[in-house]
């Protein structure tokens, strides 16, 4: 990673500059939860807005929803999440990958041993006796077997009985599937069309960590494209290209991104790939693009009893649409953006600065308004009051101008406006560019137009 960026350095900057704080910090924290601070919340919101603009606002066949986090528990039976409850899982201590112990045994015995009926003890004995190694890294260092389901549960009644158990959704996409019929009916959309959503998901991750990379509560930005089988591979490839373009348009460098096609697929899937980003911890999944076949709608048809058949008005063909899913974590993408933006620059005069080179469209603050001296604050506040109606602005009158520039560089503010004595005379200000550090002088009345031109997300 450029400039030897480490996760520790990034976490320290984020804490000091109000980007991200450890969750519940005054109580000693709560592992793998993070709170976005005043600066970070702007960054993440801007990323979410940019995604929504690109994939919903600018796409005439994509419709948004905001579905409930708590869903009818049968949804999680249809999705397969409840059935996997009680699967005997074990983790490789070396590479942290998790596996089903029964699958390991069955694979090793080439299907000769039926592991389904084996107790945990029997499974463990078999694994030890046959020295079954981790299929991922080849190590032989297993945790004990645990019955584990990554879904958090809560209870909707007052009795906390099994029948009242509900789940915090582990993925947002089920909210799109269960609204397939509603959206199609109310928008009169014809297949192909997509449903998109941004919302929180929760996973009781056993091996979380690495700052925002893997947390137990996170936001997903997901869309499901419902299409005919014959068009499905085209949509799959199209979303691969669109997902990559979105990432590079946000400022992630192409050399830090790569496709990772899956060779092992879920039984219902026709194709799957991740886009990986080169984080300081190495190449890791940034988002997924999955061709899920007709699995999801078929399952919901089976469990809800509602027909998911679509009647094509042009061909009169009846079919259950295929689903192409594009899913990206808003927090994980924010982490990638933070890593990419981070830079340490030597300024030549023995000084250096940390600067976050965010694309101006997603920078937390677009403008900082800095009166050169305190007795100029009245005019500066006037300018702030005008500009904050159009842009997220910061205001700072504390400390030397050099220190104030450094603070803004560290939170990636693309433009600093300085109010000086000349401003009082002719209503002009200086505008300093974060990246080049060049300054120009401009009448206050021209700032809005100038800024709008600079911060566009195309
Ligand atoms: P991983 O292999 O990293 O666990 P996954 O394959 O389980 O991810 P999906 O279920 O496809 O991920 O979720 C889609 C996206 O949601 C991921 O690409 C990632 O950006 C984000 N995501 C998934 N799990 C987490 C998590 N625990 N914390 C933060 N983001 C997550």
């Amino acid at each position: 990673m450029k400039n030897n960026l480490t996760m520790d350095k990034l976490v320290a900057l984020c804490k000091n500059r109000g980007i991200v704080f450890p969750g519940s910090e005054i109580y000693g924290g709560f592992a793998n939860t993070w709170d976005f601070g005043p600066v970070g919340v702007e960054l993440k919101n801007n990323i979410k807005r940019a995604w929504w603009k690109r994939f919903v606002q600018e796409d005439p066949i994509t419709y948004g929803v905001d579905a409930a986090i708590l869903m009818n528990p049968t949804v999680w039976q249809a999705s397969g999440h409840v059935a996997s409850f009680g699967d005997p899982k074990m983790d490789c201590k070396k590479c942290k990958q998790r596996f089903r112990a029964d699958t390991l045994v069955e694979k090793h015995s080439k299907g000769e041993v039926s592991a389904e009926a084996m107790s945990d003890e029997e499974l463990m004995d078999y694994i030890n006796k046959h020295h079954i190694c981790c299929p991922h890294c080849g190590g032989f260092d297993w945790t004990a077997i645990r019955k584990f389901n990554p879904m958090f549960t809560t209870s909707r009644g007052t009795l906390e009985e099994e029948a009242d158990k509900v789940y915090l959704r582990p993925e947002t996409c089920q909210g799109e599937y269960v609204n397939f019929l509603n959206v199609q009916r109310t928008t009169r959309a014809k297949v192909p069309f997509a449903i998109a959503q941004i919302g929180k998901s929760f996973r009781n991750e056993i091996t979380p960590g690495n700052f925002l990379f893997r947390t137990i509560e996170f936001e997903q930005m997901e869309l499901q494209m419902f299409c005919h089988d014959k068009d499905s591979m085209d949509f799959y490839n199209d979303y691969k290209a669109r997902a990559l373009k979105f990432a590079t348009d946000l400022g992630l460098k192409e050399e830090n991104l790569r496709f990772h096609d899956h060779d092992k697929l879920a039984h219902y899937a026709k194709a799957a790939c991740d886009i990986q980003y080169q984080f300081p911890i190495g190449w890791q999944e940034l988002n997924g693009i999955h061709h899920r076949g007709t699995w999801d709608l078929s399952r919901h048809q089976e469990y809800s009893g509602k027909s998911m058949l679509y009647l094509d008005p042009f061909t009169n063909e009846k079919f259950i649409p295929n689903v192409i899913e594009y899913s990206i974590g808003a927090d994980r993408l924010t982490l990638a953006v933070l890593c990419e933006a981070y830079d340490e620059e030597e300024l030549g005069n023995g000084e250096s600065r940390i600067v976050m080179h965010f694309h101006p469209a997603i920078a937390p603050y677009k403008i900082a308004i800095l009166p050169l001296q305190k007795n100029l604050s009245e005019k500066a506040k006037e300018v702030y009051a005008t500009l904050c109606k159009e842009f997220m602005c910061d205001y700072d009158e504390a400390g030397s101008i050099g220190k104030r520039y450094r603070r803004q560089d560290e939170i990636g503010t693309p433009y600093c406006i300085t109010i000086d004595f000349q401003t009082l005379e002719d209503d002009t200000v200086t505008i300093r560019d974060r990246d080049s550090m060049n300054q120009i002088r401009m009448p206050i009345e021209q700032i809005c137009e100038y800024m709008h031109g600079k911060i566009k997300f195309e």
Side-chain angles (χ1 to χ4, degrees):
M1 200 81 202
K2 63 180 176 152
N3 280 333
N4 304 319
L5 176 63
T6 60
M7 225 42 127
D8 288 346
K9 260 193 200 178
L10 189 62
V11 171
L13 177 78
C14 286
K15 275 179 72 170
N16 286 337
R17 287 289 171 240
I19 303 172
V20 181
F21 307 121
S24 319
E25 195 177 11
I26 59 167
Y27 289 97
F30 188 58
N32 302 298
T33 63
W34 298 92
D35 296 342
F36 283 81
V39 177
V41 69
E42 297 301 329
L43 178 65
K44 189 160 95 157
N45 280 344
N46 291 340
I47 289 173
K48 288 190 286 181
R49 268 188 223 116
W51 188 88
W52 196 262
K53 177 173 184 287
R54 174 67 57 88
F55 289 98
V56 183
Q57 183 180 327
E58 294 176 3
D59 189 336
I61 60 168
T62 300
Y63 304 89
V65 294
D66 182 10
I69 287 173
L70 301 175
M71 303 180 81
N72 185 314
T74 314
V75 167
W76 305 111
Q77 285 172 17
S79 72
H81 284 83
V82 173
S84 70
F85 189 85
D87 285 344
K89 302 264 172 58
M90 61 202 303
D91 294 343
C92 169
K93 287 191 201 162
K94 267 179 85 185
C95 70
K96 312 284 182 224
Q97 296 282 319
R98 182 176 305 141
F99 300 91
R100 281 174 62 161
D102 51 346
T103 313
L104 288 177
V105 168
E106 277 174 2
K107 271 203 180 136
H108 182 268
S109 69
K110 300 204 166 56
E112 290 296 307
V113 174
S114 173
E116 219 172 84
M118 287 167 90
S119 69
D120 291 355
E121 218 178 352
E122 286 166 336
L123 287 169
M124 204 71 224
D125 282 352
Y126 189 98
I127 286 164
N128 285 331
K129 193 166 156 214
H130 293 85
H131 201 79
I132 301 179
C133 295
C134 169
H136 185 250
C137 73
F140 185 74
D141 194 3
W142 296 107
T143 62
I145 292 175
R146 280 174 290 213
K147 294 278 199 272
F148 183 75
N149 187 301
M151 283 198 292
F152 283 106
T153 55
T154 185
S155 171
R156 87 170 281 285
T158 48
L159 298 175
E160 296 196 15
E161 285 171 353
E162 190 62 23
D164 295 327
K165 191 151 93 181
V166 288
Y167 303 95
L168 299 191
R169 66 180 177 199
E171 56 187 25
T172 50
C173 57
Q174 300 302 329
E176 286 117 88
Y177 302 141
V178 300
N179 282 299
F180 167 71
L181 296 175
N182 282 337
V183 172
Q184 201 264 319
R185 178 175 51 83
T186 52
T187 61
R188 293 167 292 122
K190 309 274 180 288
V191 167
F193 72 93
I195 304 181
Q197 172 166 221
I198 299 178
K200 284 244 167 167
S201 291
F202 305 82
R203 291 185 195 173
N204 195 359
E205 301 269 15
I206 287 294
T207 46
N210 286 317
F211 194 27
L212 302 174
F213 181 78
R214 190 181 299 287
T215 50
I216 54 176
E217 172 184 340
F218 54 97
E219 277 183 284
Q220 289 184 305
M221 309 190 284
E222 288 199 316
L223 69 79
Q224 316 295 319
M225 168 56 75
F226 301 96
C227 57
H228 191 283
D229 187 40
K230 70 177 167 32
D231 303 323
S232 58
M233 276 320 282
D234 287 346
F235 276 115
Y236 174 73
N237 288 321
D238 186 43
Y239 275 107
K240 277 176 76 169
R242 290 178 65 183
L244 182 67
K245 171 127 183 25
F246 178 68
T248 53
D249 286 352
L250 272 195
L252 303 187
K253 288 206 187 69
E254 222 162 323
E255 71 225 39
N256 288 329
L257 292 161
R258 70 180 185 194
F259 286 113
H260 171 247
D261 293 310
H262 296 194
D263 28 72
K264 286 213 179 79
L265 299 174
H267 65 90
Y268 52 80
K270 293 195 183 155
C273 104
D274 305 333
I275 292 180
Q276 297 182 330
Y277 178 73
Q278 195 171 18
F279 289 94
I281 48 171
W283 288 98
Q284 297 285 345
E285 172 178 333
L286 180 65
N287 69 246
I289 298 131
H290 303 126
H291 186 321
R292 302 179 56 88
T294 55
W295 167 257
D296 304 286
L297 290 186
S298 302
R299 291 283 287 189
H300 284 300
Q301 173 169 285
E302 186 186 335
Y303 280 76
S304 70
K306 298 273 180 309
S307 170
M308 297 289 163
L309 278 172
Y310 173 75
L311 173 65
D312 190 305
F314 304 111
T315 62
N316 276 334
E317 187 188 354
K318 265 190 175 176
F319 61 92
I320 292 188
N322 279 241
V323 165
I324 307 300
E325 173 184 66
Y326 159 44
S327 172
I328 181 161
D331 310 79
R332 199 175 283 185
L333 179 57
T334 303
L335 176 63
V337 164
L338 286 164
C339 293
E340 189 75 56
Y342 184 93
D343 206 0
E344 288 170 20
E345 285 180 7
E346 294 302 329
L347 299 178
N349 47 2
E351 277 188 48
S352 64
R353 67 169 183 163
I354 291 175
V355 54
M356 300 298 274
H357 293 288
F358 298 126
H359 184 305
I362 54 166
Y365 296 108
K366 310 300 181 219
I367 306 169
I369 291 141
L370 316 173
L372 205 56
Q373 292 183 14
K374 277 213 168 128
N375 53 6
L376 291 162
S377 63
E378 199 182 321
K379 183 70 185 171
K381 282 180 182 161
E382 225 177 78
V383 175
Y384 175 86
T386 309
L387 293 179
C388 73
K389 292 198 166 64
E390 298 272 334
F391 312 100
M392 195 68 203
C393 296
D394 196 11
Y395 179 88
D396 188 4
E397 55 181 30
S400 74
I401 192 73
K403 283 211 176 106
R404 282 184 273 164
Y405 282 151
R406 289 298 94 83
R407 263 206 296 269
Q408 295 302 329
D409 290 341
E410 290 186 10
I411 57 172
T413 308
Y415 298 100
C416 287
I417 291 183
T418 315
I419 312 294
D420 54 23
F421 288 103
Q422 197 182 324
T423 313
L424 300 182
E425 285 164 24
D426 62 6
D427 262 350
T428 64
V429 293
T430 59
I431 302 184
R432 170 193 181 264
D433 181 286
R434 173 196 67 200
D435 298 338
S436 67
M437 292 187 279
N438 290 338
Q439 298 191 15
I440 54 168
R441 202 151 189 110
M442 181 177 289
I444 292 171
E445 60 183 24
Q446 288 175 16
I447 296 175
C448 271
E449 202 186 329
Y450 177 79
M451 283 296 160
H452 278 302
K454 293 278 185 191
I455 63 167
K456 263 197 206 138
F457 184 68
E458 300 290 357

